[in-house]
Amino acid sequence: MTRWLPLLGERDPDAPLAWQQGQPISAARFVAEVQQLARALPATGPAVNLCHDRYHFALGLGAALLRGHTSLMPPNALPETLRRLQLDGSAPYALADEAGLDIAGLQRVAVGRPSTVDAGAARTAAIDGGLQAVCLLTSGSTGAPQPHLKRWQALVHNIAAEAERLAALMQRPSLAGLTIVATVPPQHSYGFESSVLLALLGGASFDSGRPFYPADIVAALQRLPRPRALVTTPFHLKTLLRSGITLPVVDLVLSATAPLSPQLAADAERQLQGRLIEIYGCTEAGQVATRRTTDGEVWTTLGELRLWREVQGDDERFLVAGGH
């Protein structure tokens, strides 16, 4: 039996879901724009979501979900990478928001903001929980990039566990009102989960940009109301803290993709005046555990996840199961 799950978690439909250049976009408006884009998609997928703007990425994701199409998220947008993308022999189409992007001959679907939509008539949207919603590909740092399909139901459980943990750490009943700036691309599993999905399913909102340089990160944060969150990496964080720029208050800092030293974590909490939380995870399993680095080395698994060590002779491996 099909279990239908919402595209958006419980939230005020008139409250901001995203911000573009400092201007709020309501959840109701987002759903209306998603439904309009969905009607323009090809009959069959999968989709390759190459949108640079995080809001455009979310529009493309939502539209593909409504059409029952899997979204492929390659590690890069190089033409040779795109030529290798196939899923079950289907010919993918490309969701793109940059007209000059070389999409290696794929059918192009331009993604942008429509000038008019009927936001009042589009407040709900449901997705088949069993749908293979996305296909994330590993970076290839340990070999050839490997595809990992994620069902919508698993992603919903994943983000519910993250949102519950982060709200508890912030001593808030939920993440409603939290605005996110992310330096990580939405096609990366960490950026996808902790910026786009944390808004769609977790109650937060996100900035559409992807700032890289310290001045751009600061400008993006200053455009947004508090409480604010910064989703970033140790590299970006170190560069930001050593820039000498006056930093705004950031209520929550998330860091992942590489280990973070306790010294850098303490410096971040001092300069940004908020809590720094590390996320441990991988493309294969998604988010696994969190820790506040300044509180010690111990990680706490998310939701119903279990983590254990298995030793066979000289071989050692760690396994994760349960929950999402």
Side-chain angles (χ1 to χ4, degrees):
M1 183 174 65
T2 299
R3 183 187 178 190
W4 293 91
L5 297 170
L7 173 64
L8 300 184
E10 291 187 12
R11 63 186 307 131
D12 178 355
D14 297 319
L17 173 83
W19 299 76
Q20 229 177 17
Q21 296 299 318
Q23 298 301 309
I25 304 170
S26 72
R29 172 83 189 202
F30 169 76
V31 172
E33 292 185 13
V34 162
Q35 292 174 334
Q36 184 164 311
L37 178 59
R39 291 191 287 270
L41 297 185
T44 60
V48 184
N49 198 326
L50 302 175
C51 293
H52 184 81
D53 180 282
R54 204 170 304 267
Y55 182 73
H56 295 163
F57 173 92
L59 282 179
L61 172 72
L65 288 170
L66 288 188
R67 292 297 297 270
H69 298 170
T70 301
S71 290
L72 307 184
M73 299 186 195
N76 58 64
L78 296 174
E80 53 265 34
T81 300
L82 300 181
R83 291 189 189 98
R84 292 197 297 265
L85 289 180
Q86 288 188 346
L87 189 68
D88 298 331
S90 301
Y93 60 88
L95 295 162
D97 58 359
E98 295 180 356
L101 182 66
D102 184 351
I103 59 173
L106 297 178
Q107 180 180 354
R108 182 190 300 268
V109 176
V111 180
R113 300 286 312 280
S115 56
T116 58
V117 292
D118 183 8
R123 302 245 167 175
T124 61
I127 310 299
D128 179 355
L131 174 67
Q132 300 283 15
V134 300
C135 180
L136 295 162
L137 291 104
T138 60
S139 64
S141 59
T142 56
Q146 297 297 311
H148 292 279
L149 287 158
K150 309 283 184 176
R151 296 186 186 276
W152 184 243
Q153 181 172 328
L155 292 173
V156 170
H157 290 322
N158 183 341
I159 301 307
E162 181 188 19
E164 181 180 11
R165 174 66 51 79
L166 296 181
L169 289 168
M170 296 183 70
Q171 299 180 326
R172 296 172 60 87
S174 73
L175 296 184
L178 180 70
T179 53
I180 298 169
V181 169
T183 64
V184 190
Q187 289 83 1
H188 186 282
S189 57
Y190 166 47
F192 174 57
E193 292 166 343
S194 292
S195 65
V196 177
L197 290 188
L198 202 57
L200 299 189
L201 299 171
S205 63
F206 65 87
D207 181 72
S208 69
R210 182 189 158 191
F212 182 85
Y213 296 106
D216 296 328
I217 297 172
V218 168
L221 288 166
Q222 288 177 331
R223 284 195 298 265
L224 299 173
R226 291 185 60 193
R228 293 182 286 243
L230 177 62
V231 174
T232 190
T233 68
F235 170 78
H236 285 105
L237 187 59
K238 181 186 294 185
T239 304
L240 177 65
L241 297 178
R242 295 180 178 177
S243 66
I245 300 174
T246 301
L247 303 178
V249 174
V250 180
D251 303 270
L252 177 68
V253 181
L254 298 184
S255 179
T257 73
L260 188 67
S261 71
Q263 294 80 11
L264 183 59
D267 191 25
E269 291 196 344
R270 180 181 59 81
Q271 290 198 50
L272 296 170
Q273 304 176 55
R275 291 193 173 198
L276 186 143
I277 305 300
E278 277 189 277
I279 294 179
Y280 175 79
C282 56
T283 306
E284 294 83 352
Q287 301 168 108
V288 174
T290 64
R291 69 178 177 188
R292 185 181 183 188
T293 318
T294 55
D295 284 345
E297 298 181 350
V298 177
W299 295 88
T300 303
T301 53
L302 289 169
E304 299 174 357
L305 290 179
R306 297 179 295 111
L307 187 67
W308 71 96
R309 184 179 68 159
E310 190 173 89
V311 180
Q312 294 180 341
D314 295 333
D315 295 329
E316 177 186 51
R317 61 178 183 171
F318 290 83
L319 297 94
V320 61
H324 59 269

